[in-house]
Amino acid sequence: MSLQLEIDEKRYTPNGEPILSQVQFQTAAGEFIALVGPSGAGKSTLLNIVAGLDTQFSGRLTVDNQPLHQGRDTALRIGFMFQEARLMPWLTVLDNVLLVLAHTPDRVARAEAMLQAVGLGDALHAFPSQLSGGMQRRVALARAFVVQPQLLLMDEPFISLDAPTVQQLHSLLLDLWSQQKPTVLFVTHTLLEALSLADRVLFFSRAPARIIHQQHVELTRPRSTAQVSAVAEQLLMAHPEMLAGEVSV
Ligand code: ADP
């Protein structure tokens, strides 16, 4: 499945400043794309548009040349992961994942298998408050992947976690992605995170956000910190004006 995105313009109020202007890109099937840019650039706005949560923009979103959203119907299975795990505190881990499998016949078996796959086989009946931040993100990953998404939208999903936990979640995400191969749009303001995960990194300017550069990352996975840092350094040397103060390394 290939997503084509053409946003001519997005404003929140008719006379307000444009937030997105002439943003266009197309994904390959199963491509992992990172969207990098300064805070406030409009990255979350773009994800909300792709998710169909925001329809107030001018432009087109198509999947293999068909409209992605038609009214309230969406042509694809879409998975989401946000900055917070967004779990229902009164539901167990298993019930949080079951929530997204409303009409699936073997839903309990599927949810349990996915929770096993993210390392939470022993925590099926725990409540979110009993879990660490890293474990809560594992539940959110299980909930995103259990629907076998064709498109996965991730908005800084591993923010405010310690570095070793982030490393573990990166490797879990890449395992799940390589098994299911959804197309991924992953928002981050951290260049190293983008370069360690993505096939291609799109760099956004400050608002009104435009794509100012794109970088294919040819390194095979898993990528070492040294490899990723070397690519980051090359980029910073090649485009100092683009990246200075705009993204964190
Ligand atoms: P990013 O995700 O890159 O940090 P956002 O998409 O969250 O950026 O925000 C882009 C700009 O749009 C910011 O200036 C923000 O204040 C503004 N904005 C975001 N959501 C709304 C909203 N619901 N109404 C008005 N302005 C908004």
Side-chain angles (χ1 to χ4, degrees):
M1 159 320 264
S2 156
L3 171 74
Q4 298 89 36
L5 176 144
E6 290 174 35
I7 297 175
D8 300 332
E9 195 173 82
K10 163 68 191 171
R11 298 172 196 252
Y12 279 103
T13 51
N15 298 319
E17 293 292 309
I19 304 293
L20 302 170
S21 170
Q22 300 299 327
V23 177
Q24 291 156 4
F25 63 88
Q26 176 164 357
T27 72
E31 192 177 16
F32 195 130
I33 294 193
L35 312 178
V36 171
S39 179
K43 306 179 297 296
S44 303
T45 300
L46 187 142
L47 278 200
N48 286 338
I49 288 174
V50 177
L53 300 172
D54 183 347
T55 55
Q56 304 299 307
F57 70 101
S58 57
R60 283 150 303 283
L61 287 173
T62 54
V63 172
D64 299 334
N65 300 317
Q66 302 296 321
L68 172 57
H69 304 294
Q70 282 187 314
R72 305 190 71 183
D73 293 332
T74 298
L76 292 182
R77 289 187 304 278
I78 302 182
F80 298 94
M81 218 177 137
F82 306 95
Q83 293 185 5
E84 320 83 42
R86 296 202 188 174
L87 305 177
M88 302 295 171
W90 59 88
L91 293 180
T92 64
V93 164
L94 179 60
D95 285 337
N96 265 284
V97 174
L98 285 172
L99 265 188
V100 298
L101 291 177
H103 304 295
T104 316
D106 53 351
R107 55 201 286 269
V108 175
R110 269 177 66 174
E112 286 182 356
M114 185 52 71
L115 285 163
Q116 294 275 1
V118 301
L120 291 178
D122 292 336
L124 299 179
H125 305 295
F127 287 91
S129 61
Q130 298 171 289
L131 305 181
S132 67
M135 288 167 87
Q136 292 183 11
R137 309 306 162 100
R138 284 173 188 264
V139 182
L141 267 175
R143 189 181 51 188
F145 274 96
V146 79
V147 299
Q148 299 188 312
Q150 294 150 293
L151 178 62
L152 178 57
L153 305 176
M154 308 187 85
D155 193 355
E156 304 203 54
F158 305 133
I159 205 163
S160 21
L161 295 171
D162 59 77
T165 303
V166 172
Q167 291 271 4
Q168 289 168 4
L169 290 166
H170 280 176
S171 101
L172 181 57
L173 166 62
L174 290 175
D175 282 350
L176 295 167
W177 170 70
S178 59
Q179 285 161 26
Q180 296 194 8
K181 272 302 177 105
T183 299
V184 181
L185 300 184
F186 186 107
V187 165
T188 176
H189 61 269
T190 313
L191 181 57
L192 289 182
E193 179 168 55
L195 295 174
S196 40
L197 295 174
D199 295 314
R200 181 158 53 119
V201 183
L202 304 180
F203 292 91
F204 285 78
S205 66
R206 290 191 180 281
R210 293 174 299 108
I211 298 173
I212 48 176
H213 183 65
Q214 61 171 315
Q215 176 79 29
H216 285 272
V217 188
E218 310 288 354
L219 301 171
T220 52
R221 299 179 181 89
R223 298 167 179 168
S224 71
T225 310
Q227 288 175 308
V228 169
S229 304
V231 176
E233 221 161 278
Q234 283 165 11
L235 260 170
L236 287 167
M237 292 216 294
H239 305 281
E241 69 300 328
M242 171 179 89
L243 297 171
E246 298 285 320
V247 294
S248 19
V249 179

